[in-house]
Amino acid sequence: MAEQSEVTSEIDTATKRVERLDRVVIRFAGDSGDGMQLTGDRFTSETAQLGNDISTLPNFPAEIRAPAGTLPGVSSFQVHFADYDILTPGDAPNVLVAMNPAALKANLSDLPAGADIIVNTDEFTKRNLAKVGYAVSPLDDGSLDGYAVHPVGLTSMTVGALAELNVPKKDAERAKNMFALGLLSWMYSRPYSSTLRFLERKFAKRPDLVAANIAAFRAGWNFGETTEDFSVRYEVKPARMVPGTYRNITGNAALALGLVAASVRSKLPLFLGAYPITPASDILHELSKHKRFGITTMQAEDEIAAVGAALGASYGGALGVTTTSGPGVALKGETISLAIALELPLVIVDVQRAGPSTGMPTKTEQADLNMALYGRHGEAPLAVIAPKSPSDCFHAALEAARIALTYRTPVILLSDNYVANGSEPWLLPDVAELPDLSVEFATEPNGEDGKFLPYLRDPETLARPWAVPGTAGLEHRIGGLEKADRTGDISYDPANHDFMVRTRAARIEAIEVPDVAVEDPDDNARVLVLGWGSTYGPIGAACRALRHRGLPIAQAHLRHLSPLPANLGTVLKSYDKVVIPEMNLGQLAHVIRARYLVDAVPFNQVSGLPFTAATLEHMLEDVVKNG
Amino acid sequence: MASPTIPAGRTPLQLTAKDFKSDQEVRWCPGCGDYAILAAVQGFMPELGIARENIVFVSGIGCSSRFPYYMNTYGMHSIHGRAPAIATGLSSSRPDLSVWVVTGDGDALSIGGNHLIHALRRNVNLKILLFNNRIYGLTKGQYSPTSELGKITKSTPAGSADSPFNPLSLALGAEATFVARTIDSDRKHLQSVLRAAAEHKGSAFVEIYQNCNIFNDGAFELIKDPETRDDHLIRLEQGQPITFGSQGQFSVVHPAGGFGLQVRETAGLGDERPVVHDATVAEPAYAFALSRLSGSDLNTTPIGVFRAVERPSYDELLAKQLTDATAGSTGTPEQMLTDLLHSGDTWAIL
């Protein structure tokens, strides 16, 4: 199994035995209204403070409040932390916190034998059990014998702990997630002062709720300390990480900050046009908080207006950005084509989700690659890039802006729900070392007789001049109609159209992108696994596990999907076998086979969930051993 | 944050209509009403005193949308229906520009209806010129959202079953702050309305009745023909009683106990008095009632400025948010970015 844990030492203390672990995976699961995302987020933050490496995976239904106590209403948050660098949120939880029978039933099959299960017994009522089809409580029928079950009256103990605080019963019951957090924080020796500060901030307007939630947290902690049921406390030592300042960050937040950084480093005002859509809305929320950087965020009337306004802003000299998910990109297609014809910078962020149509809006998928590469009318090439992890979204946003501004082209950035909502520690970059994205607007006529030629290209980048309105002497008209080379005048000339179509393709191919790197530590692998986007973590973890077992394998991961790195063909042809795992039905594999005539083997999973490292390890082991 | 570097203006402002003519050959059908509108706009532009480089025309798709190619200003011929959306991004990020949208009845009211109403509700600083010829011209003669009910066209051989929009009623329902109507053939009136639109802060919506002599010729003949015009055309003048007719024989009145406005014979008014036109009335019901006087038959058709009221424009409100947000910030953008990246719970690894 990939990323397997082991107990490395044991320490006895006066009160409880303390075991040292190298890694732990905890899953908090409950009803949508139980605050599991918040609980997981706080546990993650405490863990980050301790210096463990972390990876998280939130998993929640699209319904805001599905019927209480039902399987579709279960929301969970998984956190994986370790004393070494990890690449995924973990395959199988060592600990499940189940706030009700539905949470237990929905998650039980993911648990390995012997896992700890902490259940809120107060919710195991006849009615709640019946809702999920338990005739007999699984706590009583022996079906959980293979696990270490800890029955805890989370709700009643929380209410009891708050008896003297005079908070309404409903609020007291709702604080049970903090009791659970307190208990888990005790079990794993987490520093909790940041959580207390967080609660003070969150409930600043309701001092009674601050007191209630803190009291519930402490009650949970003290329960762990005193009860006989938990005889062991665990420690996971800090990971050995590159020195520097870190924060925990989700992909969406990192992407938003990357766009702010792109604005600062290009010295251009950022204009975001966006229409709310899961799972991309958080980028709009985040950017709307940073107006002091001169950022304009516009919640448009629809997806088409969102990209249209962004393109209008780009035309006026701003860094135009639109953020959306797959269905939104479909609506924006015509405007993206216009941006290709106008040859203006534009960044389109697609936080992919499971499709087609509404699909599964809160589940992940990589199935928009074809749309990004080909989903427009006419010959309409553009640049496509993808981040590989939550914190990498920051750098991917900067790279998207670099390409858009340098080459005057729309760029599609393919994030997905897995990296967007997942989180990991982020080594904060030195701002001065971020790429310089400054651009030069056209200021002078560039043609004979003082004429301005809007489609006269830079010979190296093939980019046309960016002449923004307000620049005297460069007044010109652009549009979606085919234009003549150099002058930009409307042209229906057959030879000119052929030339322009080829030129638009050539200018995308001319974009300079770094060579793809291959990770093959012993330089003896015969099998290459090629991935793109958010599969980096599970592929990397699977490769590590194989190498650890003496099975050589090489890993290459693509950030740039259009244009592809110049060395990719050579890399592919230097291995006996190329395997391409994707969360789609083989979209990159199709490109690779067509373009390089390489007999690449697709490996596909389209379940709405990321690959587990174990799944990939198993599959790759077979390829390495049997070819 | 620094705004784009724009060189200081160099264009002298003693401009003439000729300065606004681009070098492109105008390619509308001979006799098209668009020629008259183009000439009127080019003739009126110098009055604005705005340098050519600070004027932008944005259009969608349709015959009228070729307009930007013929103006020697900045211009963008975009995609069908989307000009208001694109112009919103431009206008709100570049409040220094004078941004004009040229559109048609199909472009603005059919495929682009959503963007039109939202631009108007936001009061984006745009001058929107809707050339209404009540037909699809560029696609060769299908009925449009302003064609009369029962219109027989290539796509409706048995007559259209769609009731038309009243563009002014629609604009008023969308909270437009400036709403006017004019006619392609009346250059003086057209220019006076454009002038008022240009002076308006925020969205100005101008419907221009425009003749398509190929697919819908004579659509507005009743209010153009000198023989019939005066008995059907109601010229709205600020502060003046609303009367019309070759002999002034008709008046627009607000009947006691009624909701809207009505046309009556002046001679039979009795105690009633013609309504005195005031486009600045805050209550939109008045301008809406005026807009309802005209229907597909054009029998009583007001032209002029229906409504011109003050409301903060979208770019003003956005700019204020940026100014307020920037007010407290110190340090270079790079320092601010460093602080932002380091905000929240951070930890150090030594």
Side-chain angles (χ1 to χ4, degrees), chain A residues 244 246 301 469-472 477, chain B residues 10 53 73-74 122 347 349:
Chain A
Y246 286 78
E301 59 269 25
T471 316
R477 277 64 57 190
Chain B
R10 294 178 304 191
E53 65 267 21
T73 61
Y74 280 88
R122 293 190 179 104
W347 69 94
I349 303 282

Side-chain angles (χ1 to χ4, degrees), chain A residues 45 48 243-244 246-247 290-291 293 295 298 301-302 309 316 431 441 469-472 475-480 489, chain B residues 1 4 6 10 24 53 68 73-77 89 94 114-115 122 314 321-322 325 338 340-341 345-347 349:
Chain A
S45 194
Y246 286 78
R247 71 187 274 194
H290 304 308
K291 292 196 161 46
F293 289 90
I295 292 169
M298 175 187 176
E301 59 269 25
D302 59 29
V431 168
F441 293 134
T471 316
E475 295 84 1
H476 65 283
R477 277 64 57 190
I478 55 177
D489 293 343
Chain B
M1 177 72 41
I6 294 153
R10 294 178 304 191
Q24 300 296 298
E53 65 267 21
T73 61
Y74 280 88
M76 186 197 292
H77 178 229
R94 290 290 306 277
N114 200 30
H115 308 306
R122 293 190 179 104
Y314 188 59
Q321 289 190 352
L322 291 192
T338 301
L340 173 64
L341 299 187
D345 293 334
T346 61
W347 69 94
I349 303 282

